Amino acid sequence: MLNRAILTGRLTRDPELRYTTSGTAVVQATIAVDRQFKNQQGERESDFINLVIWRKAAENFANFTHKGSLVGIDGRIQTRTYENKQGQRVYVTEINVDNFSLLEPRQGNNQQSNNNYSSQTPNNNATSNSPRQNQNAQSNYGNQNNDFDNGGQSIDLADDELPF
């Protein structure tokens, strides 16, 4: 049997981090996922899907996301029921998240992060005023292999050189 859900959407509200009585962290959140088609008015509709995230992943999710964050979700669909205060049975379908990805950079830290990143490079060219030298210094940080860096120039390839 296979039960897998992979979604990309934006959070509709800030995640709610709570702890169970045994101290386990849990987050409940909702993401809006756009449908692939438009309605008769030419507008895209969205589905609002409830998420549940547990333990350390829940704490990380709550710390690094907020309303409007674009996230990728990997999890499984789960259903449950309970009785509300009026005695009615309520059915809930939600995604129990196994993994998530932050799909956009954090706002407000980009400039500071880039400056710190380039100032920590082992290459002495990082202090140069040349944008190309700074780009090389940043891309070579951490001994990353950068064989494909062609300075933004296009590369001519024949059809028989493509791997597909």
Short mmCIF file of all heavy atoms in Angstrom, two decimals, residues 2 12 21 27 31 34 37-39 47-48 59 78 82 93 109 113 123 131 151:
data_model
loop_
_atom_site.label_atom_id
_atom_site.label_comp_id
_atom_site.label_asym_id
_atom_site.label_seq_id
_atom_site.Cartn_x
_atom_site.Cartn_y
_atom_site.Cartn_z
N LEU A 2 0.41 2.29 -0.63
CA LEU A 2 1.16 3.52 -0.73
C LEU A 2 0.28 4.68 -0.30
O LEU A 2 -0.84 4.82 -0.78
CB LEU A 2 1.65 3.73 -2.16
CG LEU A 2 2.45 4.98 -2.43
CD1 LEU A 2 3.77 4.94 -1.67
CD2 LEU A 2 2.73 5.11 -3.92
N THR A 12 -1.32 29.65 5.40
CA THR A 12 -2.44 30.59 5.52
C THR A 12 -2.42 31.35 6.84
O THR A 12 -3.13 32.35 6.99
CB THR A 12 -3.78 29.86 5.40
OG1 THR A 12 -3.89 28.90 6.46
CG2 THR A 12 -3.89 29.16 4.06
N THR A 21 1.07 16.64 26.73
CA THR A 21 1.33 16.52 28.16
C THR A 21 2.63 15.78 28.44
O THR A 21 3.25 15.98 29.48
CB THR A 21 0.17 15.79 28.87
OG1 THR A 21 -0.05 14.54 28.22
CG2 THR A 21 -1.09 16.63 28.82
N VAL A 27 2.93 20.80 15.69
CA VAL A 27 2.48 22.01 15.00
C VAL A 27 1.28 21.66 14.14
O VAL A 27 1.27 20.62 13.49
CB VAL A 27 3.61 22.58 14.09
CG1 VAL A 27 3.06 23.50 13.03
CG2 VAL A 27 4.63 23.32 14.92
N ILE A 31 -1.98 24.96 4.61
CA ILE A 31 -1.40 25.56 3.42
C ILE A 31 -2.45 25.67 2.33
O ILE A 31 -3.38 24.86 2.25
CB ILE A 31 -0.17 24.79 2.88
CG1 ILE A 31 -0.52 23.37 2.47
CG2 ILE A 31 0.95 24.79 3.87
CD1 ILE A 31 0.60 22.68 1.70
N ASP A 34 -2.70 25.98 -4.91
CA ASP A 34 -3.46 26.40 -6.09
C ASP A 34 -3.83 25.20 -6.95
O ASP A 34 -3.02 24.28 -7.12
CB ASP A 34 -2.65 27.38 -6.94
CG ASP A 34 -2.52 28.74 -6.30
OD1 ASP A 34 -3.35 29.06 -5.42
OD2 ASP A 34 -1.61 29.49 -6.68
N PHE A 37 -6.22 24.54 -12.76
CA PHE A 37 -7.13 25.13 -13.73
C PHE A 37 -7.79 26.38 -13.16
O PHE A 37 -7.75 26.61 -11.96
CB PHE A 37 -8.19 24.11 -14.15
CG PHE A 37 -8.93 23.52 -12.98
CD1 PHE A 37 -10.05 24.13 -12.45
CD2 PHE A 37 -8.48 22.34 -12.39
CE1 PHE A 37 -10.73 23.59 -11.36
CE2 PHE A 37 -9.14 21.80 -11.30
CZ PHE A 37 -10.27 22.42 -10.80
N LYS A 38 -8.39 27.17 -14.04
CA LYS A 38 -9.06 28.39 -13.61
C LYS A 38 -10.57 28.18 -13.66
O LYS A 38 -11.07 27.39 -14.46
CB LYS A 38 -8.66 29.56 -14.51
CG LYS A 38 -7.19 29.89 -14.40
CD LYS A 38 -6.80 31.04 -15.29
CE LYS A 38 -5.32 31.35 -15.13
NZ LYS A 38 -4.89 32.44 -15.99
N ASN A 39 -11.29 28.93 -12.83
CA ASN A 39 -12.75 28.82 -12.82
C ASN A 39 -13.34 29.66 -13.97
O ASN A 39 -12.62 30.23 -14.78
CB ASN A 39 -13.33 29.23 -11.46
CG ASN A 39 -13.03 30.68 -11.10
OD1 ASN A 39 -12.67 31.50 -11.95
ND2 ASN A 39 -13.18 30.99 -9.83
N ASP A 47 -7.03 24.97 -2.70
CA ASP A 47 -7.47 24.03 -1.68
C ASP A 47 -6.69 24.34 -0.42
O ASP A 47 -5.50 24.64 -0.46
CB ASP A 47 -7.19 22.59 -2.13
CG ASP A 47 -8.05 22.18 -3.30
OD1 ASP A 47 -9.28 22.30 -3.20
OD2 ASP A 47 -7.48 21.77 -4.33
N PHE A 48 -7.37 24.29 0.71
CA PHE A 48 -6.75 24.58 2.01
C PHE A 48 -6.60 23.26 2.74
O PHE A 48 -7.58 22.61 3.10
CB PHE A 48 -7.61 25.58 2.78
CG PHE A 48 -7.70 26.90 2.06
CD1 PHE A 48 -8.72 27.15 1.15
CD2 PHE A 48 -6.74 27.88 2.26
CE1 PHE A 48 -8.79 28.35 0.47
CE2 PHE A 48 -6.80 29.09 1.59
CZ PHE A 48 -7.83 29.31 0.69
N GLU A 59 9.20 21.98 15.81
CA GLU A 59 9.86 23.17 16.37
C GLU A 59 10.58 23.95 15.27
O GLU A 59 10.50 25.18 15.21
CB GLU A 59 10.83 22.76 17.47
CG GLU A 59 10.13 22.20 18.70
CD GLU A 59 11.08 21.63 19.74
OE1 GLU A 59 12.24 21.30 19.39
OE2 GLU A 59 10.66 21.52 20.90
N GLN A 78 -3.89 11.34 6.48
CA GLN A 78 -4.38 10.66 7.68
C GLN A 78 -5.78 11.16 7.98
O GLN A 78 -6.06 12.36 7.85
CB GLN A 78 -3.43 10.97 8.84
CG GLN A 78 -3.75 10.29 10.13
CD GLN A 78 -2.64 10.54 11.13
OE1 GLN A 78 -1.48 10.22 10.90
NE2 GLN A 78 -3.00 11.13 12.25
N TYR A 82 -13.61 12.62 15.86
CA TYR A 82 -13.81 12.92 17.27
C TYR A 82 -15.21 13.50 17.43
O TYR A 82 -15.86 13.85 16.46
CB TYR A 82 -12.75 13.89 17.80
CG TYR A 82 -12.81 15.29 17.21
CD1 TYR A 82 -13.56 16.29 17.84
CD2 TYR A 82 -12.14 15.61 16.04
CE1 TYR A 82 -13.62 17.56 17.30
CE2 TYR A 82 -12.19 16.87 15.51
CZ TYR A 82 -12.93 17.85 16.14
OH TYR A 82 -13.00 19.10 15.61
N THR A 93 -9.48 15.22 7.87
CA THR A 93 -8.45 14.69 6.98
C THR A 93 -7.30 15.69 6.99
O THR A 93 -7.51 16.89 6.81
CB THR A 93 -8.99 14.52 5.55
OG1 THR A 93 -10.11 13.64 5.58
CG2 THR A 93 -7.93 13.96 4.62
N ASN A 109 17.14 38.61 6.14
CA ASN A 109 18.47 38.10 6.43
C ASN A 109 19.32 37.92 5.18
O ASN A 109 20.46 37.56 5.28
CB ASN A 109 18.38 36.75 7.16
CG ASN A 109 17.88 36.91 8.57
OD1 ASN A 109 17.92 38.00 9.12
ND2 ASN A 109 17.39 35.83 9.15
N SER A 113 23.24 37.78 5.38
CA SER A 113 23.76 36.44 5.15
C SER A 113 24.77 36.43 4.02
O SER A 113 25.82 35.82 4.12
CB SER A 113 22.60 35.49 4.83
OG SER A 113 23.09 34.24 4.46
N ASN A 123 39.22 32.52 0.10
CA ASN A 123 39.86 33.16 -1.03
C ASN A 123 40.12 34.63 -0.72
O ASN A 123 39.22 35.35 -0.30
CB ASN A 123 38.95 33.00 -2.25
CG ASN A 123 39.62 33.45 -3.53
OD1 ASN A 123 40.52 34.28 -3.50
ND2 ASN A 123 39.17 32.87 -4.63
N PRO A 131 32.83 42.46 -8.98
CA PRO A 131 31.71 41.54 -8.75
C PRO A 131 32.05 40.12 -9.18
O PRO A 131 31.66 39.16 -8.55
CB PRO A 131 30.58 42.11 -9.60
CG PRO A 131 30.95 43.52 -9.89
CD PRO A 131 32.43 43.58 -9.84
N GLY A 151 31.10 31.78 -16.52
CA GLY A 151 31.00 33.22 -16.50
C GLY A 151 29.72 33.76 -17.09
O GLY A 151 29.67 34.88 -17.58
#
